């Protein structure tokens, strides 16, 4: 991306690149900041293949550090600014970065947790680089291939053991990258709003892809539905990346009377199952601008359904991008059309593997999987059912929460829902629904509404009410935290 952005900056230096609440940067200004940062990184010994970690809220300096690292052929390591010292110590022991870029607000959190040099981007000496005319040290290594505009990276994703798992991603494929950018509708006219944290793969990669196509990136410090809508209206935003949970919050805001932006053309929705009912509500609220995308941190974007076709096959997340293969497997046996199994993928953008806590790379296989369950139909459309980790086994029957959530999402009195399994002495686990509602409901009433709409063994035996569903930093529902709060949640009366 760095070479692409330099070309754009030279061609139209005065064009706007980044919009923040109190700052607007042109392409020339952003390029100059990146050039100065590249000199700073090089001065402390960063070279091709080294790792540059960063820990910041959404701000232009995130893009500056990423551009600078790319110009040196370095691997970026995004870290959550919400991390506590013990967690950071584990992550940094795996990543082994040469330098960690942070902002003044979280400088103290890094004290004593790493041997790497810590760079405070709010230091006046660093900020002064924006006023210096410099030619950046550009010697990107050939073996660090461009990846979807975001360059080589090491991203941490949660594992079943709870230990940090760093997914190393350096493989690039310009043709596939171009197909993905085209599928997302990114172009020189794109005005992209990054409201989700840039340290997560989806929001960050899409922001950098939009920028590399000549678009404008708007940055907000956090996702708040009313703020997102107001910023989108004021800035003529056309594109964004949202999880279904975030999208549902926007739709609810509009359904309750908020004004929706009239400029939206391509909103990428990904990160968790996207129910058909929500698709219909979202199109009614925001217009035909939604692109359903199936992908993951380790493997990148894999399939998408265009905004034009979104409601023609609402149960599917689209067809694979050119050059990507997706199939369902039962063990080592590849399954046929509509047979449910663990989805496996072949893609030129697959990560190299996970770094274990000792920093050793466990390489991934030719067919890679992150445990998603689904099937591919006879026309090649991918249907995502759920995560294997979220599977509920009740009385020996396999039950996927997303199947139930997709139906409950159409309940007229339920604003939001999530389904988890809870331990039970007789059944092993029983299905439990957690709902957000302003109406008076009973467990039996919910079960009666579901009668005939879903198999009887999938109907929740217990229903709880909460004010809000707990969410992760990316806006997904956190099932682990949800199970933890059930003890204090209000269980609906049986009748």
């Amino acid at each position: 991306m760095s070479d692409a952005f330099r070309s754009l900056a030279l061609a139209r230096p005065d064009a706007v690149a980044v919009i923040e609440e109190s700052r607007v940067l042109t392409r020339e200004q952003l390029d100059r900041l990146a050039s100065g940062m590249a000199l700073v990184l090089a001065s402390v010994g960063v070279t091709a293949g080294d790792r540059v970690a960063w820990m910041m809220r959404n701000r232009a300096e995130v893009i500056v550090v990423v551009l600078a690292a790319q110009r040196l052929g370095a691997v970026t390591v995004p870290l959550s600014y919400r991390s506590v010292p013990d967690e950071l110590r584990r992550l940094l022991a795996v990543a082994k970065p040469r330098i960690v870029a942070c902002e003044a607000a979280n400088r103290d959190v890094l004290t004593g947790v790493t041997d790497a040099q810590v760079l405070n981007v709010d230091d006046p000496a660093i900020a002064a680089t924006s006023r210096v005319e410099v030619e950046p040290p550009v010697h990107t290594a050939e073996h660090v291939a461009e990846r979807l505009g975001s360059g080589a990276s090491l991203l941490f994703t949660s594992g079943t053991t709870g230990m940090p798992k760093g997914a190393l991603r350096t493989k690039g494929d310009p043709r596939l990258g171009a197909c993905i950018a085209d599928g997302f509708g990114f172009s020189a006219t794109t005005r992209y709003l990054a409201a989700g944290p840039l340290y997560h793969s989806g929001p960050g990669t899409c922001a950098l892809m939009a920028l590399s196509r000549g678009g404008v990136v708007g940055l907000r410090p956090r996702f708040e539905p009313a703020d997102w809508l107001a910023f989108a209206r004021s800035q003529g935003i056309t594109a964004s990346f949202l999880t279904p949970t975030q999208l549902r919050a926007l739709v609810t805001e509009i359904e309750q009377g908020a004004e929706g932006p009239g400029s939206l053309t391509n909103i990428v929705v990904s990160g968790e199952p996207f129910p058909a009912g929500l698709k219909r509500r979202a199109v009614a609220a925001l217009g035909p601008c939604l692109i359903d995308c199936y992908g993951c941190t380790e493997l990148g974007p894999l399939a998408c359904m265009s905004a034009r076709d979104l409601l023609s096959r609402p149960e599917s997340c689209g067809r694979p991008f050119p050059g990507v293969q997706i199939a369902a497997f039962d063990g080592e046996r590849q399954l046929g059309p509509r047979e449910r199994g663990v989805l496996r993928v072949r893609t030129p953008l697959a990560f190299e593997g996970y770094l274990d806590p000792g920093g050793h790379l466990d390489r991934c296989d030719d067919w890679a999987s992150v445990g998603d369950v689904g099937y591919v139909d006879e026309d090649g459309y991918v249907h995502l059912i759920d995560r294997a980790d979220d599977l509920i086994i009740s009385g020996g029957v396999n039950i996927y929460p997303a199947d139930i959530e997709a139906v409950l999402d159409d309940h007229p009195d339920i604003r939001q829902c999530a389904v988890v399994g809870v331990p039970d002495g007789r059944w092993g686990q029983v299905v439990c629904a957690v709902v957000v509602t302003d109406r008076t409901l009973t467990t039996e009433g919910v079960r009666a509404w579901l009668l005939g709409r879903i198999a009887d063994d999938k109907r929740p035996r217990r229903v709880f009410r909460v004010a809000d569903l707990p969410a992760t930093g990316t806006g997904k529902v956190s099932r682990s935290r949800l199970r933890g709060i059930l003890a204090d949640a209000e269980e609906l009366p049986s009748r």
Side-chain angles (χ1 to χ4, degrees):
M1 171 187 167
S2 55
D3 289 343
F5 184 76
R6 283 230 82 199
S7 299
L8 289 166
L10 292 171
R12 292 188 58 199
D14 295 331
V16 172
V18 175
I19 300 173
E20 296 179 287
E21 187 169 11
S22 58
R23 178 172 56 164
V24 175
L25 293 176
T26 65
R27 291 179 186 170
E28 180 182 40
Q29 289 170 328
L30 185 62
D31 180 64
R32 187 179 297 177
L33 283 166
S35 298
M37 183 60 70
L39 285 175
V40 171
L41 296 180
S43 71
V44 296
V46 174
T47 60
D50 284 340
R51 294 172 190 158
V52 175
W54 60 265
M55 187 173 71
M56 293 177 272
R57 291 170 174 79
N58 285 5
R59 54 187 291 180
E61 282 73 17
V62 172
I63 298 172
V64 168
V65 170
V66 172
L67 283 172
Q70 288 181 41
R71 290 174 179 180
L72 299 174
V75 178
T76 57
V77 186
L79 300 170
S80 169
Y81 59 82
R82 299 181 175 93
S83 299
V84 297
D86 285 346
E87 182 181 17
L88 281 171
R89 187 176 290 106
R90 295 194 299 270
L91 298 179
L92 291 168
V94 173
K96 295 179 170 55
R98 182 172 290 274
I99 194 168
V100 182
C102 70
E103 52 196 349
N106 52 34
R107 174 65 181 84
D108 292 344
V109 180
L110 289 163
T111 302
V113 304
T114 179
D115 293 330
Q117 181 164 337
V118 176
L119 175 70
N120 176 8
V121 300
D122 292 320
D123 187 318
I126 301 301
T129 60
S130 63
R131 298 188 294 271
V132 178
E133 295 281 356
V134 292
E135 279 299 317
V138 180
H139 50 272
T140 303
E142 293 182 2
H143 71 277
V144 183
E146 182 174 330
R147 181 189 171 99
L148 295 182
S150 59
S153 58
L154 174 65
L155 285 91
F156 285 97
T157 182
S158 59
T160 55
T161 64
M163 295 296 291
K165 296 174 69 176
L168 182 63
R169 316 185 313 175
T170 67
K171 296 178 182 177
D173 187 294
R175 287 178 297 180
L176 177 53
C179 287
I180 293 170
D182 289 342
F184 289 172
F186 293 147
S187 70
T189 62
T190 293
R191 297 179 68 83
Y192 175 89
L193 174 51
L198 293 175
Y199 59 77
H200 281 291
S201 178
T205 297
C206 284
L208 291 159
M209 287 174 67
L211 199 60
S212 69
R213 282 286 176 103
V216 178
V217 171
L219 298 176
R220 305 301 295 157
R222 64 186 61 82
F223 176 78
E224 296 288 348
D227 174 80
W228 193 100
L229 291 171
F231 190 88
R233 288 193 302 268
S234 67
Q235 298 297 330
I237 294 299
T238 64
S240 190
F241 177 99
L242 298 168
T243 65
T245 298
Q246 291 172 322
L247 177 63
R248 182 181 285 105
L250 292 178
V251 170
T252 300
E253 194 83 5
I254 292 173
E255 290 173 343
Q256 293 176 348
E259 180 185 354
S263 53
L264 302 178
T265 58
N266 47 311
I267 304 297
V268 180
V269 184
S270 189
E272 54 187 335
F274 188 1
L278 178 58
K279 290 180 180 179
R280 290 188 287 268
R281 288 175 58 201
V283 169
L286 297 171
C289 62
L290 304 165
I291 299 166
D292 190 0
C293 174
Y294 170 51
C296 61
T297 297
E298 295 91 336
L299 305 174
L302 301 169
C304 82
M305 182 75 80
S306 70
R308 180 185 64 254
D309 299 326
L310 185 76
L311 297 184
S312 64
R313 294 175 183 257
E315 306 298 335
S316 169
C317 54
R319 300 180 71 175
F321 291 105
V324 176
Q325 294 175 269
I326 303 177
F329 282 77
D330 178 8
E332 298 304 311
R333 181 173 67 92
Q334 185 170 336
L335 302 175
R338 295 191 177 275
E339 290 188 284
R340 294 185 174 195
V342 175
L343 295 177
R344 294 186 183 177
V345 177
R346 279 178 174 156
T347 171
L349 296 178
F351 72 134
E352 280 85 326
Y354 293 115
L355 287 176
D356 64 23
H360 306 294
L361 185 65
D362 179 17
R363 296 192 177 275
C364 68
D365 297 328
D366 187 29
W367 280 99
S369 176
V370 293
D372 292 325
V373 175
Y375 64 89
V376 181
D377 67 24
E378 56 278 359
D379 295 320
Y381 286 86
V382 179
H383 296 251
L384 180 64
I385 297 172
D386 219 325
R387 291 278 302 193
D389 291 346
D390 294 332
L391 177 69
I392 300 170
I393 303 178
S394 183
V397 177
N398 291 350
I399 298 171
Y400 293 100
D403 284 344
I404 307 166
E405 292 165 355
V407 179
L408 277 175
D409 198 60
D410 285 332
H411 193 294
D413 295 331
I414 293 176
R415 295 208 319 266
Q416 194 176 0
C417 68
V419 172
V420 295
V422 295
D424 181 80
R426 178 181 179 185
W427 300 101
Q429 286 181 303
V430 294
V431 177
C432 171
V434 186
V435 303
V436 178
T437 180
D438 297 325
R439 304 297 181 89
T440 300
L441 297 176
T442 65
T443 297
E444 191 54 42
V446 173
R447 284 176 53 82
W449 186 87
L450 288 169
L451 188 64
R453 289 182 167 91
I454 198 167
D456 189 61
D457 54 6
K458 295 180 180 179
R459 291 193 296 154
R461 294 178 179 271
R462 303 178 69 184
V463 182
F464 290 81
R465 183 205 309 264
V466 294
D468 296 289
L469 295 179
T472 66
T474 54
K476 304 178 189 178
V477 173
S478 172
R479 295 183 196 276
S480 60
R481 288 174 55 197
L482 190 61
R483 294 184 185 95
I485 67 174
L486 285 185
D488 298 320
E490 173 195 355
E491 183 165 6
L492 296 185
S494 59
R495 296 181 182 278

